[in-house]
Amino acid sequence: MRIIYLANRWPNVNETAASTRSLQIIYSLKANGCDVTIACVNPKNAAVKSFERDGIKCVAFQLNDQNFKHLLKQDNYNIAFFDTFLMEEKTSWMFQDVLPDCLTVLDTQDLHFLREARSEKPSFKASVDELNFDRPKTYRELASIYRCDLSLIISWEEFKLLKNHFNVDKATLMYLPFMFDPHENKHDAYPFKDREGILMLGNFLHAPNLDQAVFFIDHLNAALQEKIHDVEVFIAGAFPTDRIIQKSKHQSHIKFLGYQEDLMPIFNRCKLMISPLRFGAGLKGKLFDAINYGLPFVGSEIACEGLFGLDDTFVAKNNDGFVAKTATLYKDEGSWQKAQFQQSAIVKTHFDKNHFASQLTTRLTKLHQGLKKHRQNNHQRNLILRQAFQAHKYFSKWIELKNQIKNET
């Protein structure tokens, strides 16, 4: 199968969990015999060379450009992936124009509208009962899900929300979490006694990560220092803002590291990771990084949402619980070793890449072979395509025409 993966940014595993997700999908498809192209709206960068060495074609394209439509038609793709609903809005109409039989797949990465709704009521708790979903982003993202033949959902909690609350047809949904090799071991055997410090990780373009860092500094650090005297807290992540840099400078025992090309040394030397997220959605890549490096973690309910089999010992519902659980794991070697073992078992049991990669390829093959019948039964898609979808198409065509006139003059 010929597959094109349309991306807002070139995936870089060292920057975002979304990139990790994209790369897991891309390389699992390639490993299963698919011919994969990555198309991105940004100019090519250093990451492109590694993709091309791996036999993955890379295309930098401009939105609303007739040349890209010609490329799609020329390469005759069987399946198109969109890395978020934002990319689907911008480009999916072109496939309707030039490749109407191309299977369209939305990788939601996480539900953006869920994250936005939670941002208005920040809390450690993951309940959705009191959230206000009546907002433009909700309807935009749902419309994107309806338009696509298949949507990949990273969290089982989000799968249930779409199916039960929004009545999305489960025939158009697939639960596809992060996928890891259960036998891969990235961490060195640094024992409890040789580790020091607490790590907080996350790129700061992502609003929940910025909020968690600021919230920790303002509301949790002082209480934690009383429980664990003089413990160093390291904050690492790409795209830091001046706000978080300045806050870190004026707090005792906070060490701001910023972007780290290689996270292995800090993962192997720190004793614990913390994730006091107060809003967000999907699965949290930073917690899987911690698991894969053998670094135990404590997180809020929001941070730990979707992690099957996670013991409540590591999940906090409020500030006091977060500080107490962090202090216990940090100071008690037995609890720390138990956490390391139990959290590692989660990946082996629930996030095995061999299992889910095979499921993805099988689902795509069956859908592609039975696409006509699948679309006939997908009434939500058919309704959307005949109505609001045209607005995106003709708005893009208007921009395309405007650009042509500009270039001619």
Side-chain angles (χ1 to χ4, degrees):
M1 289 189 292
R2 295 180 60 79
I3 295 175
I4 185 167
Y5 190 96
L6 294 106
N8 285 281
R9 301 170 60 90
W10 293 105
N12 184 334
V13 71
N14 291 325
E15 290 183 353
T16 67
S19 288
T20 298
R21 162 72 162 186
S22 296
L23 292 173
Q24 286 179 347
I25 291 173
I26 289 166
Y27 278 95
S28 69
L29 292 169
K30 188 176 185 305
N32 281 284
C34 298
D35 183 3
V36 182
T37 296
I38 304 175
C40 182
V41 292
N42 286 319
K44 291 184 178 182
N45 60 21
V48 168
K49 293 182 180 179
S50 65
F51 298 143
E52 292 176 336
R53 282 196 301 267
D54 293 334
I56 297 171
K57 182 179 177 181
C58 295
V59 175
F61 73 98
Q62 293 182 340
L63 293 171
N64 315 303
D65 185 352
Q66 196 72 18
N67 291 326
F68 186 57
K69 288 174 66 176
H70 293 326
L71 181 144
L72 294 177
K73 189 172 184 178
Q74 173 185 307
D75 288 352
N76 195 28
Y77 293 102
N78 307 117
I79 303 175
F81 279 76
F82 310 102
D83 74 344
T84 59
F85 82 92
L86 300 169
M87 180 55 71
E88 188 276 339
E89 283 184 338
K90 299 168 188 172
T91 62
S92 65
W93 67 269
M94 290 187 286
F95 291 88
Q96 290 294 316
D97 271 9
V98 299
L99 292 176
D101 295 327
C102 182
L103 176 70
T104 56
V105 182
L106 173 63
D107 180 22
T108 58
Q109 309 236 344
D110 62 34
L111 292 181
H112 295 58
F113 72 80
L114 175 59
R115 186 198 321 156
E116 182 180 79
R118 282 174 167 166
S119 71
E120 291 192 350
K121 290 188 174 183
S123 168
F124 279 5
K125 295 183 179 180
S127 172
V128 299
D129 294 339
E130 297 181 3
L131 297 180
N132 175 23
F133 291 124
D134 186 17
R135 56 185 68 244
K137 186 170 286 186
T138 302
Y139 303 120
R140 286 175 59 194
E141 192 163 14
L142 286 174
S144 182
I145 290 170
Y146 294 152
R147 281 192 296 268
C148 288
D149 298 306
L150 182 68
S151 293
L152 306 179
I153 313 302
I154 198 170
S155 164
W156 186 248
E157 297 305 316
E158 294 183 2
F159 187 99
K160 291 191 297 183
L161 180 68
L162 289 171
K163 177 177 171 290
N164 299 331
H165 187 88
F166 292 101
N167 299 313
V168 178
D169 185 352
K170 67 178 182 180
T172 67
L173 303 176
M174 179 178 179
Y175 169 60
L176 189 77
F178 283 125
M179 302 177 284
F180 296 98
D181 184 342
H183 304 295
E184 185 176 355
N185 185 347
K186 295 181 180 178
H187 65 282
D188 294 326
Y190 286 98
F192 177 84
K193 64 182 179 62
D194 291 340
R195 293 172 178 261
E196 292 292 339
I198 292 173
L199 173 63
M200 186 188 305
L201 178 66
N203 96 81
F204 296 100
L205 282 181
H206 194 52
N209 291 330
L210 180 60
D211 175 81
Q212 79 162 354
V214 171
F215 182 78
F216 175 81
I217 292 172
D218 289 346
H219 300 285
L220 298 176
N221 185 45
L224 188 62
Q225 295 298 331
E226 290 182 6
K227 293 277 189 180
I228 315 171
H229 297 298
D230 298 329
V231 64
E232 299 282 3
V233 179
F234 301 96
I235 301 178
F239 312 111
T241 65
D242 288 339
R243 181 187 184 196
I244 191 61
I245 292 172
Q246 293 304 317
K247 272 189 170 291
S248 301
K249 286 181 178 179
H250 296 93
Q251 277 278 329
S252 62
H253 306 296
I254 298 286
K255 303 294 183 183
F256 187 79
L257 304 178
Y259 174 71
Q260 300 293 297
E261 183 72 30
D262 182 10
L263 286 168
M264 183 178 288
I266 191 169
F267 271 113
N268 288 337
R269 289 297 184 179
C270 281
K271 189 174 287 184
L272 202 65
M273 176 185 272
I274 56 172
S275 184
L277 287 170
R278 300 192 303 152
F279 61 95
L283 295 175
K284 313 309 180 291
K286 62 180 72 66
L287 299 188
F288 285 91
D289 289 336
I291 290 171
N292 289 331
Y293 281 99
L295 182 65
F297 63 81
V298 173
S300 63
E301 279 192 0
I302 291 288
C304 299
E305 185 177 50
L307 282 175
F308 286 111
L310 189 63
D311 195 295
D312 283 344
T313 305
F314 320 122
V315 185
K317 298 181 180 181
N318 53 50
N319 294 9
D320 292 342
F322 191 93
V323 171
K325 292 181 179 189
T326 300
T328 297
L329 281 188
Y330 192 89
K331 293 191 291 187
D332 184 75
E333 183 172 3
S335 298
W336 185 90
Q337 290 175 337
K338 181 180 178 182
Q340 188 183 59
F341 175 80
Q342 289 187 350
Q343 291 177 5
S344 294
I346 291 172
V347 168
K348 298 175 183 178
T349 306
H350 298 290
F351 302 95
D352 186 333
K353 76 173 184 180
N354 297 317
H355 171 73
F356 286 105
S358 175
Q359 278 196 346
L360 176 61
T361 305
T362 300
R363 184 76 177 271
L364 292 175
T365 301
K366 288 183 177 179
L367 276 178
H368 185 258
Q369 292 173 347
L371 187 57
K372 183 176 180 180
K373 183 176 181 180
H374 177 74
R375 286 181 172 174
Q376 286 175 344
N377 295 330
N378 188 352
H379 305 300
Q380 292 170 327
R381 173 185 181 274
N382 298 333
L383 174 64
I384 291 291
L385 287 181
R386 282 165 174 74
Q387 300 297 326
F389 182 64
Q390 299 300 317
H392 296 289
K393 172 180 177 179
Y394 287 105
F395 180 67
S396 295
K397 282 182 170 291
W398 175 79
I399 296 175
E400 179 184 320
L401 180 60
K402 184 179 178 182
N403 290 341
Q404 286 177 356
I405 295 172
K406 182 179 179 181
N407 292 334
E408 291 172 359
T409 58

